[in-house]
Structures are given as C-alpha cells and as structure tokens.
Amino acid sequence: MKIDKAVKANLLNTIAGSVRTKTPKEKASASKQNVDASDKVELSGRNRDIAKLIAKANSAPSIRQDKVDSIKKAIQNGTYNVKGDLVAKAILKDNLLDEIL
C-alpha cells in the first residue's frame, strides 16, 4: 500500500478539521455569562502542532528508495525471505486501518 503526500495531508487535515470550534451563538452566550470577568485569551498550541505535522508529512519522500534498492538486491541474490504470517498480519492491519479511517 503506497501512501503518498496527498493522502498524508488529507489525513492530517481531517484530524485538524475534527477539532470543534464554538459557533457565534455559543461565543455570544459565553461572553454574556462572563460580563464581569476580565478579558483573557487562551491559546492552545494545537494549530501550531498540526501545521508542523502537515509540513513534516509533505516533506517526507513518498518512496523510500534505500529500502526499495535493498529489497531488489536481496531478490536478485535470492536471499529475500518473507514469512507468510507477517504478510498476512500486515494486510489485515492495513485493511483495519482503512476501515477505521
């Protein structure tokens, strides 16, 4: 399964979009309740963290050429062994992740 930059960015954008923001009505009612309270601003670093994750995902290569080359070399030499149960576990894991996401 190949995960390219667009898929990574879409996943991160989906996570970022799941953060719920208050509607204007909720903001207005909250401000009416706190009329006597002093103004205060609370900033979470969540947007900054999400932006860093998106930048990191976009900068990652979509193909790890060093891994591809080492596997090609092992196949050509006849030394590449794959355990069937590990392949089956990986396939099941990918399918479960696809269903969840």
Side-chain angles (χ1 to χ4, degrees), residues 65 67-77:
Q65 195 60 44
K67 281 243 185 210
V68 173
D69 292 339
S70 67
I71 292 172
K72 280 184 179 180
K73 186 176 180 181
I75 291 171
Q76 289 172 351
N77 294 338

Side-chain angles (χ1 to χ4, degrees), residues 14-93:
T14 302
I15 292 169
S18 67
V19 177
R20 186 176 178 275
T21 59
K22 290 184 179 180
T23 64
K25 287 182 181 180
E26 291 173 331
K27 289 179 185 178
S29 68
S31 65
K32 287 179 185 177
Q33 293 173 357
N34 295 326
V35 171
D36 295 334
S38 62
D39 291 339
K40 91 177 172 180
V41 175
E42 292 181 29
L43 298 176
S44 69
R46 190 170 182 99
N47 284 342
R48 190 175 343 108
D49 293 340
I50 290 171
K52 285 180 184 177
L53 288 173
I54 290 171
K56 189 173 183 178
N58 288 335
S59 67
S62 60
I63 298 174
R64 293 174 53 191
Q65 195 60 44
D66 57 331
K67 281 243 185 210
V68 173
D69 292 339
S70 67
I71 292 172
K72 280 184 179 180
K73 186 176 180 181
I75 291 171
Q76 289 172 351
N77 294 338
T79 58
Y80 186 70
N81 277 333
V82 178
K83 293 183 179 180
D85 58 337
L86 294 178
V87 173
K89 285 179 186 179
I91 291 171
L92 290 172
K93 181 180 173 184

